[in-house]
């Protein structure tokens, strides 16, 4: 699975958009980008995933660059409850092989 | 409500003692996983099971053991051989092995007395 690089921490004002970057310059053609988040003292929660097209769901939007070497998770109107660690993971979908590997992620602090 | 349940929320272990962490799911998922998380760190894989009566070691299996006798249950035993067991333990499941949409429990915080 391709390696990802995320900033260790970010701040965002409440009500503003939070843009969380992820670099995955060694991604291969059949690898998807997955995002999870972990609120303090809870288990991680799946957010969204994508291959090359931009994706949107009720939680967030995922923007993947045309060369697929980086992506951005967007929380359009961040609230205090969005304070969490956000993990970007790249892997082949339904590979049937080893489970997901979670790095250290980005600690997002939403400030009132 | 479907979900994955871990118990207890907090657990204390004495020196030389084995302790077992419970993980139960009613999502009818085939695959189950155990991760360990240390403060400020990411998740590290201990063991996983893609089907009943089968399981594989993850990256840090030493000092741990598991069983998968039922589809719904995947208990983790932290043995006395695990010299640094204090951590947050997370159980997860997915509807098949290697599936990237994992559902996590709320975790068990294990501390050594």
């Amino acid at each position: 699975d391709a390696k990802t690089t995320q900033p260790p921490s970010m701040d965002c004002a409440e009500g503003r958009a939070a843009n969380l970057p992820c670099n995955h310059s060694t991604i291969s053609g059949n690898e998807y980008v997955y995002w999870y988040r972990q609120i303090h003292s809870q288990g991680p929660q799946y957010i969204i995933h994508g291959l090359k097209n931009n994706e949107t769901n009720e939680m967030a939007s995922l923007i993947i660059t045309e060369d697929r070497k980086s992506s951005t998770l967007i929380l359009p109107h961040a609230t205090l409850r969005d304070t969490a660690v956000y993990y970007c993971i790249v892997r082949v979908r339904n590979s049937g092989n080893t489970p997901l590997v979670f790095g250290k992620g980005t600690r997002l602090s939403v400030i009132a | 409500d479907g979900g994955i349940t871990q118990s207890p929320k907090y657990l204390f272990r004495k020196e030389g003692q084995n302790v077992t962490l419970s993980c139960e799911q009613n999502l009818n998922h085939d695959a189950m996983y155990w991760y360990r998380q240390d403060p400020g760190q990411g998740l590290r894989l201990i063991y996983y099971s893609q089907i009943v009566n089968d399981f594989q070691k993850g990256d840090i299996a030493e000092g741990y053991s598991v069983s998968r006798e039922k589809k719904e249950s995947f208990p983790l035993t932290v043995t006395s051989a695990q010299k640094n067991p204090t951590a947050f333990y997370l159980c997860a499941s997915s509807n098949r092995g290697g599936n990237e949409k994992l559902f996590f429990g709320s975790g068990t915080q294990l501390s050594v007395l």
Side-chain angles (χ1 to χ4, degrees), chain B residues 62-75:
Chain B
E62 185 174 352
Y64 300 96
S65 66
V66 293
S67 63
R68 186 85 188 277
E69 298 176 0
K70 298 186 300 182
K71 188 176 187 177
E72 314 82 63
S73 178
F74 191 40

Side-chain angles (χ1 to χ4, degrees), chain B residues 41-93:
Chain B
Q41 303 298 311
L43 281 66
R44 291 186 291 168
L45 183 67
I46 306 173
Y47 268 100
Y48 65 104
S49 168
Q50 297 190 0
I51 197 169
V52 174
N53 292 322
D54 187 45
F55 48 83
Q56 290 79 39
K57 293 182 179 180
D59 301 319
I60 55 164
E62 185 174 352
Y64 300 96
S65 66
V66 293
S67 63
R68 186 85 188 277
E69 298 176 0
K70 298 186 300 182
K71 188 176 187 177
E72 314 82 63
S73 178
F74 191 40
L76 173 74
T77 296
V78 184
T79 74
S80 58
Q82 173 48 246
K83 298 307 179 186
N84 185 22
T86 296
F88 189 51
Y89 290 86
L90 286 159
C91 180
S93 69

Side-chain angles (χ1 to χ4, degrees), chain A residues 4-52:
Chain A
T4 62
T5 303
Q6 298 178 254
S9 64
M10 292 181 63
D11 292 337
C12 177
E14 188 179 20
R16 305 297 292 268
N19 299 298
L20 294 99
C22 180
N23 183 287
H24 33 77
S25 58
T26 60
I27 193 170
S28 61
N30 61 346
E31 288 183 312
Y32 284 69
V33 180
Y34 293 83
W35 283 85
Y36 279 74
R37 75 177 183 184
Q38 184 178 22
I39 295 171
H40 184 61
S41 296
Q42 297 183 24
Q45 174 191 25
Y46 165 85
I47 301 173
I48 199 167
H49 73 276
L51 180 63
K52 55 183 178 181

Side-chain angles (χ1 to χ4, degrees), chain A residues 20-22 24 33 35 62-65 69-73 88:
Chain A
L20 294 99
C22 180
H24 33 77
V33 180
W35 283 85
L62 174 61
I63 308 298
I64 303 173
T65 58
K69 293 185 177 182
S70 66
S71 60
T72 301
L73 180 75
C88 171

Side-chain angles (χ1 to χ4, degrees), chain B residues 15-34:
Chain B
E15 290 282 344
Q17 185 182 41
N18 293 352
V19 292
T20 298
L21 284 61
S22 171
C23 179
E24 304 276 335
Q25 54 97 0
N26 60 5
L27 300 166
N28 200 34
H29 284 170
D30 289 317
M32 298 186 74
Y33 314 83
W34 276 105

